[in-house]
Amino acid sequence: MQMLHPPAVLLIMVVFISHLTFLTAVTVKYPHEMITKTEGLLLSLKCTVEYKTKDCDIQTTWWYKNSSEQFPIMDPNRYLIRVNETERAEHRLRNIFLTISSLKLQDSGSYQCDATCLNSGTQAKGHFVHLNVTGLS
Ligand SMILES: *[C@@H]1O[C@H](CO)[C@@H](O)[C@H](O)[C@H]1NC(C)=O
Ligand SMILES: *[C@@H]1O[C@H](CO)[C@@H](O)[C@H](O)[C@H]1NC(C)=O
Ligand SMILES: *[C@@H]1O[C@H](CO)[C@@H](O)[C@H](O)[C@H]1NC(C)=O
């Protein structure tokens, strides 16, 4: 038993430290949602990323995915993306707002926001937000 003790403590410490590093470097926050909306309506999704300014040059992306396609959302003709940031001690909060001004049936699918620290490669992903766009009739 004496021999088992130190490695166990070490393991707990390593798990604790890596968990802590992950938490403080970057986290992605927004609710797990299932949204149903009629076509033609406006949709706005908000993703909040908290990151440590010192350790993280952040890159954030909203992704779209359905059964046949997956792509990072960038097309300015279809999507409006706005970003703002607030400082909070050593952390920054970045909001990434994704807006689709007039929903089409083809916008149905799953949306996910992720964040990467470009210097360390640490990545954090949010939940999928499932969107079901229904027809007018
Ligand atoms: C970020 O933008 C949103 C939407 O325009 C606004 O409601 C919010 O107050 C802004 N936050 C900051 C910190 O500027
Ligand atoms: C997947 O999404 C693309 C882009 O919005 C759309 O053109 C396509 O019809 C969708 N496919 C399915 C099976 O929903
Ligand atoms: C989308 O919503 C419609 C109407 O509520 C429903 O009939 C359909 O099954 C839903 N589709 C998905 C993929 O959830």
Side-chain angles (χ1 to χ4, degrees), residues 34 36 132 134:
M34 168 92 218
T36 300
N132 180 0
T134 56

Side-chain angles (χ1 to χ4, degrees), residues 40-69:
L41 293 180
L42 177 142
L43 174 76
S44 187
L45 299 176
K46 173 186 165 184
C47 166
T48 303
V49 174
E50 182 170 8
Y51 66 101
K52 202 166 183 179
T53 326
K54 186 166 68 72
D55 300 340
C56 206
D57 285 327
I58 201 85
Q59 176 178 300
T60 54
T61 312
W62 269 106
W63 293 81
Y64 170 80
K65 180 172 176 288
N66 65 15
S67 54
S68 55
E69 292 188 52

